[in-house]
């Protein structure tokens, strides 16, 4: 057991090491990492110009009393009293198409909680993902994927390249099966309960078109950590 004097990022590194050396380990005690220190790291990582959710609270407004705000947020989290607010659904132009892409904008505190959960999940699942996986992973992007693809084509006897896309994945994913998949690695019931709450979050749909360039944290948290190929961990 690590001392409380150890930083939360160091604890995440320790979890990552354990996940890497013990690929079948189930983690039973993770939620204590959802503390003020971790949430402050998440807050500092938010874009200053990021759009606000249905509560219209911006990063600057939250920063005016950030210490007290985070204390209150942590208290609600650990009492299991925190509930995600409805996600603002807006639409942005889809590159190369006349269609519009739906985009969810959570309220600021939801972004913080999602960010904290994402960092915890990343510390575990980054050790499980195969090297060829690039989607929504830290320090990886489409340029790296194209570079790796180019190297494979040049150096190996490749005869066919197949491009595929899952239409409406987040609208159709089986959430119960997804939660079962998470249970292979995560046995902390509080972590699982909050993930399920976010998966059940409702959308509100204003009649506006919102210009944005990056997906919200919920995409990063779920796509990166919750939708890895099942067969990588023996899940059919």
């Amino acid at each position: 057991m690590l001392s409380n004097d150890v930083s939360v990022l160091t604890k995440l590194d320790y979890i990552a090491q354990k996940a890497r050396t013990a690929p079948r380990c189930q983690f039973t005690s993770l939620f204590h990492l959802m503390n003020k220190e971790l949430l402050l790291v998440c807050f500092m990582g938010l874009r200053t110009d990021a759009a606000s959710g249905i509560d219209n609270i911006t990063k600057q407004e939250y920063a005016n009393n950030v210490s007290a705000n985070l204390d209150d947020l942590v208290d609600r989290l650990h009492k299991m009293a925190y509930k995600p607010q409805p996600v603002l659904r807006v639409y942005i132009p889809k590159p190369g198409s006349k269609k519009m892409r739906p985009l969810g904008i959570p309220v600021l505190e939801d972004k913080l909680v999602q960010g904290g959960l994402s960092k915890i999940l990343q510390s575990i699942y980054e050790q499980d993902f195969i090297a060829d996986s690039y989607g929504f992973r830290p320090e990886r992007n489409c340029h790296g994927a194209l570079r790796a693809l180019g190297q494979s084509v040049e150096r190996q006897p490749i005869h066919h390249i197949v491009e595929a896309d899952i239409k409406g994945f987040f609208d159709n994913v089986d959430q119960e099966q997804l939660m079962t998949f998470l249970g292979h690695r995560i046995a902390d019931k509080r972590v699982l309960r909050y993930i399920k709450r976010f998966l059940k979050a409702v959308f509100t749909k204003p009649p506006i078109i919102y210009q944005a360039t990056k997906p919200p944290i919920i995409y990063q948290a779920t796509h990166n950590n919750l939708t890895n190929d099942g067969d990588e961990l023996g899940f059919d």
Side-chain angles (χ1 to χ4, degrees), residues 5 33 37 73 100 102 120 133 140 162 187 195 197 205 215 227 232:
D5 294 332
L33 298 170
E37 179 188 358
L73 176 57
M100 304 299 288
I120 292 172
S133 174
R140 286 174 174 248
V162 179
I195 290 172
R197 286 184 187 182
K205 303 177 181 180
T227 62
E232 292 177 20

Side-chain angles (χ1 to χ4, degrees), residues 136-149:
F136 295 94
R137 295 180 62 185
E139 300 181 11
R140 286 174 174 248
N141 53 42
C142 59
H143 299 293
L146 290 173
R147 185 163 51 250
L149 176 63

Side-chain angles (χ1 to χ4, degrees), residues 41 49 66 72 76 129 184 225:
V41 170
D49 62 345
V66 66
D72 179 64
R76 283 178 284 139
F129 289 157
H184 285 283
N225 298 300

Side-chain angles (χ1 to χ4, degrees), residues 91-142:
Y91 295 85
I92 61 173
K94 188 174 183 179
S97 171
K98 294 182 179 179
K99 297 181 179 180
M100 304 299 288
R101 183 193 302 275
L103 187 71
I105 304 177
V107 300
L108 188 139
E109 285 195 334
D110 282 358
K111 292 178 183 179
L112 299 182
V113 177
Q114 290 173 16
L117 291 171
S118 179
K119 288 183 182 299
I120 292 172
L121 294 175
Q122 281 178 359
S123 67
I124 298 169
Y125 286 104
E126 276 297 311
Q127 320 313 315
D128 295 338
F129 289 157
I130 60 175
D132 293 335
S133 174
Y134 283 84
F136 295 94
R137 295 180 62 185
E139 300 181 11
R140 286 174 174 248
N141 53 42
C142 59

Side-chain angles (χ1 to χ4, degrees), residues 36-212:
K36 185 176 181 178
E37 179 188 358
L38 180 61
L39 294 176
L40 181 59
V41 170
C42 296
F43 177 76
M44 297 302 293
L46 293 180
R47 292 166 46 204
T48 303
D49 62 345
S52 56
I54 62 170
D55 61 357
N56 292 317
I57 295 178
T58 65
K59 182 178 181 180
Q60 183 56 52
E61 289 176 290
Y62 202 82
N64 292 335
N65 200 20
V66 66
S67 182
N69 286 336
L70 291 180
D71 284 335
D72 179 64
L73 176 57
V74 170
D75 182 64
R76 283 178 284 139
L77 281 170
H78 286 265
K79 289 179 178 177
M80 298 305 294
Y82 185 85
K83 294 184 179 180
Q85 296 191 46
V87 177
L88 181 65
R89 169 155 284 186
V90 294
Y91 295 85
I92 61 173
K94 188 174 183 179
S97 171
K98 294 182 179 179
K99 297 181 179 180
M100 304 299 288
R101 183 193 302 275
L103 187 71
I105 304 177
V107 300
L108 188 139
E109 285 195 334
D110 282 358
K111 292 178 183 179
L112 299 182
V113 177
Q114 290 173 16
L117 291 171
S118 179
K119 288 183 182 299
I120 292 172
L121 294 175
Q122 281 178 359
S123 67
I124 298 169
Y125 286 104
E126 276 297 311
Q127 320 313 315
D128 295 338
F129 289 157
I130 60 175
D132 293 335
S133 174
Y134 283 84
F136 295 94
R137 295 180 62 185
E139 300 181 11
R140 286 174 174 248
N141 53 42
C142 59
H143 299 293
L146 290 173
R147 185 163 51 250
L149 176 63
Q151 293 172 348
S152 295
V153 171
E154 291 175 0
R155 300 174 183 177
Q156 301 179 39
I158 303 297
H159 300 289
H160 298 87
I161 297 177
V162 179
E163 180 182 5
D165 186 23
I166 301 177
K167 182 179 180 181
F169 176 82
F170 290 104
D171 295 327
N172 299 291
V173 64
D174 186 324
Q175 294 184 2
E176 292 303 319
Q177 188 173 2
L178 187 149
M179 294 303 298
T180 299
F181 170 73
L182 279 177
H184 285 283
R185 279 298 227 170
I186 311 296
D188 188 317
K189 292 183 179 180
R190 291 185 295 176
V191 170
L192 294 174
R193 282 179 64 184
Y194 271 116
I195 290 172
K196 198 160 189 175
R197 286 184 187 182
F198 276 108
L199 290 174
K200 299 290 185 183
V202 298
F203 283 91
T204 180
K205 303 177 181 180
I208 60 173
I209 302 298
Y210 181 80
Q211 300 293 329

Side-chain angles (χ1 to χ4, degrees), residues 18-27 124 127-128 183-187 231-235:
K18 180 66 175 179
R20 186 164 50 250
T21 57
R24 295 189 178 277
C25 175
Q26 263 191 331
F27 292 85
I124 298 169
Q127 320 313 315
D128 295 338
H184 285 283
R185 279 298 227 170
I186 311 296
D231 59 2
E232 292 177 20
L233 292 180
F235 185 71

